[in-house]
Amino acid sequence: MTEMIAGPGMSPLELLAVLAAVALVAAPWSPAGARRPLVLAAAAIAVPAGALLVVLGLRWQLVPVLAGAALALPSAVLPLLRRRTGPPPRRARRWPALLGSAACLGLVAAGAGAAWALPVPVFPDPTGPHEVGTAVVQWDDPDRPETATPDPGDRRTVVVQLWYPAQRGPVSTGTAAKAQYLGRTPQEARTVAHGLAGYLGAPGFLLDGLPRARTNAVPGAAVAQGGGRFPLVLFSPGLGGVRTQNTAWAEELAGRGYVVAALDHPYDSAAVVLADGRTVRTRIAATGDEAEDARRSARWTAVRAADLRFVLTQLGRVDRGEIPGPARGMTGRLDTGRAAATGHSLGGAAALQAARQDPRFAAVIDLDGYPHGPASRPLRQPVLALTQSVGPGTDPDYIPRLTRVLELGTAPGYRLTVPGTAHLSFTDAPLYLPPVPSLVGSLDRASGLRITAGASAAFLDHTLRGAPGDLAGLLSAYGELTVHRPDGGLMSPAARRPPQSS
C-alpha cells in the first residue's frame, strides 16, 4: 500500500493523478506558449499514474478523477496534433468548450473531495517507550450457552484482539509487516468493513479505504522483555462496533506498557469472522418501542459484561500457562490483579456492569456510554466517564443516570466532558469518516484520539500503577471535569482548568 498524506487523504500517486487531471482540464485555457509542454507533461503523468492505480487497486473516489482526465485528454491533445499535421481548425465555440472543461473539473473535484472526506486512515504513532505487537485469539466458554441461536448445544464464543508491549527488533526498525486494520487477512478486513457500512445503512464500497490501512502494531511480535508484569485493559466496543474500532487508543496504551484486550461480541458486533471462516453478523435491531429497546439493551449489556469477565478469566489462565498464549512470551507477564474494564457506548455500560459484578476489575473507563441495566448497586472501583457535551434537550436521561451511578460509588468517579466531541470522537472514526461535527465532532482528525488516550492513560496510571500526583488536575487539562467523591462532595468549579483540545 502506498503511504497516505494526512491532509488531502490521498497517497502520493493518487495526488499526482489529481494534479495531472487538473492540468489536462486547464491546458486548453492556458497561454499559447505554455500549452504544449503543459499538455505533454500532464498526459505523461496522468496515463501511467491512472494505469498504475488500476493495477494496485483503485479506490472508488479516484474513478471520477480518472474519468475527468480521460474526457479532458482528447480536447487537450487533439489540437496539438492538428497543428502538426494540417492547417489550424476553425475556432471552437467558446461556451460549449468552457462547459465541457467545467464538467471535467467537477468530476476531478468530486473525486478529490470524496478522497479527502473518506480517506484511508493513518494511525498516529504511539508515544510510549514500547513497540507494539498484536495477536488475535478465539475462546469458547463451555459454561455459557449462546442465547442468540436456537441450538441448545451452542456455546458462547468471543474473538479477542490483544495489543501489547513488544520486544524491540524488526518492529522498531520498520522491517516487520504492520497489522492490517479491521482483520487478520485482507478478506476479513473487507468483510468487516462491508459489515460496518451495512450496519450504518451505507453501501459497502463506501468504506473500502479501511481494509487498505495499516496500523502500528506487528502481528505475533514477541512480548517485551523485562519490566515486570503488565496491567490489563479489557475493552468492549459500541453497539454494532467491532474489536478494532479503538485501535489508535489501544496502540497508545500498549506503547505505554499496558496489555489491551478488545472483544468482538458475536451476534452483536457488525461482523465477526470466526476461526473456521464463518462470518457472524449482528442480529440486534431497535424496535422503536422505548420500553422494549431498554429491556433489550439491558440484556445485551449483561451478555457483554459476562464476555468481559470470561476474557479476564482466560487471560489469567494464559498468565499461568494453563492455555497457550496468543503471543510468544506472554505467560507470566499478565497482571490480572491490575485490570480495568473499559468500553465505548454500550460497551461502556457493559464495563460498568462487569466491574460491579466482578471485584477483579480495579478500575473502569466508560467512553460516552449510557449506563444500561441495574444502577442501584454501588461501584467499588474508581470510574472515568468521558462524555460529549450533552444537554437536556439532546438526551435528558443520560447525564442524570450517569451522575447517579457515579454518586453511588464508594471510590472517586470522574466525569470528563470534552468540548468539540461527538459520540464517535472517542473511536477511530475521525480518521476515516467525513469531518461532520454531528458525526465525529468539530476537532481535527487526531485531537479526539489524543484526548481520549491521554485522559485514559492518566487515569490508568493513577489507579492501576499508583502514579503520584493530582489525578483531578491531570484530567481537567482535557475538558470540563466533575469529580464525585465517596463522601458525596463535588469538585468545585473554581478548581477546574480551562479545557484544551490536545
Side-chain angles (χ1 to χ4, degrees), residues 132 134 170-171 174-180 214-221:
V132 179
T134 188
V171 180
T175 58
K178 298 299 178 70
Q180 186 154 352
R214 295 283 175 174
T215 68
N216 295 294
V218 172

Side-chain angles (χ1 to χ4, degrees), residues 82 96 102 115 131 168 171 191 205 233 296 331 349 377 386 399 418 433 465:
R82 289 182 183 134
E131 307 298 337
R168 289 190 174 273
V171 180
T191 298
F205 71 84
V233 180
R296 291 188 178 191
T331 300
R377 291 173 54 193
L386 272 69
I399 297 303
V418 184
L433 288 183
R465 286 178 163 155

Side-chain angles (χ1 to χ4, degrees), residues 249 252-253 256 449-459 475 478:
W249 176 83
E252 176 65 21
L253 292 179
R256 293 176 182 237
L449 302 176
R450 288 196 299 267
I451 291 170
T452 305
S456 298
F459 176 77
L475 292 176
Y478 295 99

Side-chain angles (χ1 to χ4, degrees), residues 129-140:
H130 297 282
E131 307 298 337
V132 179
T134 188
V136 179
V137 66
Q138 179 176 311
W139 284 321
D140 300 325

Side-chain angles (χ1 to χ4, degrees), residues 134-430:
T134 188
V136 179
V137 66
Q138 179 176 311
W139 284 321
D140 300 325
D141 187 348
D143 298 326
R144 279 195 300 156
E146 178 52 76
T147 57
T149 66
D151 183 0
D154 197 3
R155 301 290 97 180
R156 181 64 175 169
T157 296
V158 292
V159 179
V160 183
Q161 182 156 353
L162 288 92
W163 291 266
Y164 53 88
Q167 185 174 320
R168 289 190 174 273
V171 180
S172 56
T173 61
T175 58
K178 298 299 178 70
Q180 186 154 352
Y181 189 45
L182 293 189
R184 291 156 285 190
T185 65
Q187 179 57 44
E188 180 180 2
R190 287 192 294 269
T191 298
V192 174
H194 286 183
L196 287 172
Y199 187 80
L200 295 172
F205 71 84
L206 196 70
L207 298 180
D208 77 341
L210 300 190
R212 300 169 183 264
R214 295 283 175 174
T215 68
N216 295 294
V218 172
V223 176
Q225 298 178 349
R229 300 166 77 197
F230 300 114
L232 305 180
V233 180
L234 277 66
F235 177 79
S236 177
L239 180 62
V242 295
R243 66 178 188 262
T244 51
Q245 71 163 55
N246 277 55
T247 290
W249 176 83
E251 289 184 336
E252 176 65 21
L253 292 179
R256 293 176 182 237
Y258 293 90
V259 173
V260 181
L263 284 64
D264 268 332
H265 301 282
Y267 305 102
D268 179 340
S269 296
V272 181
V273 178
L274 300 179
D276 60 8
R278 288 183 297 132
T279 298
V280 179
R281 301 190 182 276
T282 183
R283 294 186 179 180
I284 292 177
T287 65
D289 181 288
E290 187 174 344
E292 175 59 23
D293 287 344
R295 285 191 292 270
R296 291 188 178 191
S297 296
R299 186 166 65 249
W300 300 329
T301 299
V303 172
R304 284 165 165 257
D307 287 346
L308 287 168
R309 302 198 314 271
F310 167 66
V311 169
L312 183 57
T313 297
Q314 293 295 93
L315 291 173
R317 297 181 66 194
V318 169
D319 179 68
R320 295 188 297 272
E322 297 174 3
I323 58 176
R328 183 162 49 93
M330 197 162 280
T331 300
R333 304 302 305 282
L334 307 180
D335 192 346
T336 56
R338 294 185 294 166
T342 71
H344 171 252
S345 194
L346 189 69
L352 291 167
Q353 186 160 330
R356 187 178 290 112
Q357 297 168 341
D358 194 333
R360 292 180 299 171
F361 289 109
V364 186
I365 296 178
D366 174 14
L367 302 177
D368 209 30
Y370 181 94
H372 293 285
S376 56
R377 291 173 54 193
L379 278 158
R380 294 177 173 82
Q381 302 91 336
V383 178
L384 171 63
L386 272 69
T387 71
Q388 58 180 310
S389 297
V390 180
T394 54
D395 194 340
D397 298 327
Y398 175 26
I399 297 303
R401 186 171 177 84
L402 179 61
T403 299
R404 175 65 175 159
V405 169
L406 298 177
E407 287 177 342
L408 284 174
T410 60
Y414 304 85
R415 177 164 65 86
L416 186 66
T417 301
V418 184
T421 57
H423 189 55
L424 296 180
S425 299
F426 306 104
T427 72
D428 295 333

Side-chain angles (χ1 to χ4, degrees), residues 491-502:
M491 180 179 178
S492 65
R496 298 174 184 168
R497 298 181 182 177
Q500 299 177 0
S501 61
S502 62

